[in-house]
Amino acid sequence: MNLIEKIGNIVQAEMITSCLLTTANNPEYFSLNPKQYFNVVDGIVYFYNDDEQQFFEYKPLVECDFEYVLIADLRTAIANHDLTVSNSNQNDKQIDLSIKKDIEDHCTDIGNHISPLTRVIDR
């Protein structure tokens, strides 16, 4: 399972990385359960509280059993996803163009549209 799938989908991942879900400035991590931004300072987790608009000490990271993602890694996964989608769309367009060219070639070839009963006279 990749990082974006772990979050849920690309839209949710983009919301998390853009920090639309919080008033925190540049949080480093996002906890998946509970859904909360946090930072780690000297090995200690500090969860951000939007109501108080500050980080509060929780406990050492090594003692935490919740699943979390590094926001920088999530941004990289989104960029790679966007690049993959872009390349896929580019390939689809190239395939579409080759199919269209094939169709046009067959339609413009007059030999495909002449009745077999028509006589051709060379001059």
Side-chain angles (χ1 to χ4, degrees):
M1 173 182 292
N2 71 31
L3 203 50
I4 292 172
E5 290 171 344
K6 185 185 269 191
I7 296 298
N9 61 46
I10 189 72
V11 174
Q12 290 173 328
E14 287 172 341
M15 287 178 63
I16 290 168
T17 59
S18 64
C19 296
L20 292 176
L21 307 175
T22 187
T23 57
N25 288 329
N26 300 318
E28 297 176 59
Y29 299 92
F30 185 77
S31 167
L32 301 179
N33 192 12
K35 292 185 186 272
Q36 209 166 357
Y37 292 93
F38 69 96
N39 285 335
V40 177
V41 178
D42 296 328
I44 306 295
V45 171
Y46 288 84
F47 276 114
Y48 187 76
N49 183 305
D50 276 310
D51 295 333
E52 301 289 327
Q53 295 191 346
Q54 62 181 336
F55 286 93
F56 288 101
E57 184 176 333
Y58 180 61
K59 63 182 175 181
L61 183 61
V62 295
E63 295 177 14
C64 295
D65 61 350
F66 54 82
E67 204 169 358
Y68 63 91
V69 296
L70 182 63
I71 293 175
D73 289 348
L74 189 54
R75 283 189 181 107
T76 301
I78 291 169
N80 289 340
H81 176 270
D82 291 345
L83 183 61
T84 302
V85 169
S86 175
N87 286 342
S88 175
N89 288 343
Q90 189 72 10
N91 290 340
D92 290 346
K93 287 177 186 174
Q94 289 173 351
I95 290 168
D96 288 347
L97 289 176
S98 69
I99 291 170
K100 184 178 177 185
K101 185 176 182 328
D102 246 3
I103 292 168
E104 288 173 355
D105 286 348
H106 291 295
C107 293
T108 57
D109 183 5
I110 195 68
N112 292 335
H113 301 284
I114 298 176
S115 166
L117 301 175
T118 304
R119 290 181 180 226
V120 178
I121 301 171
D122 287 330
R123 291 185 187 199

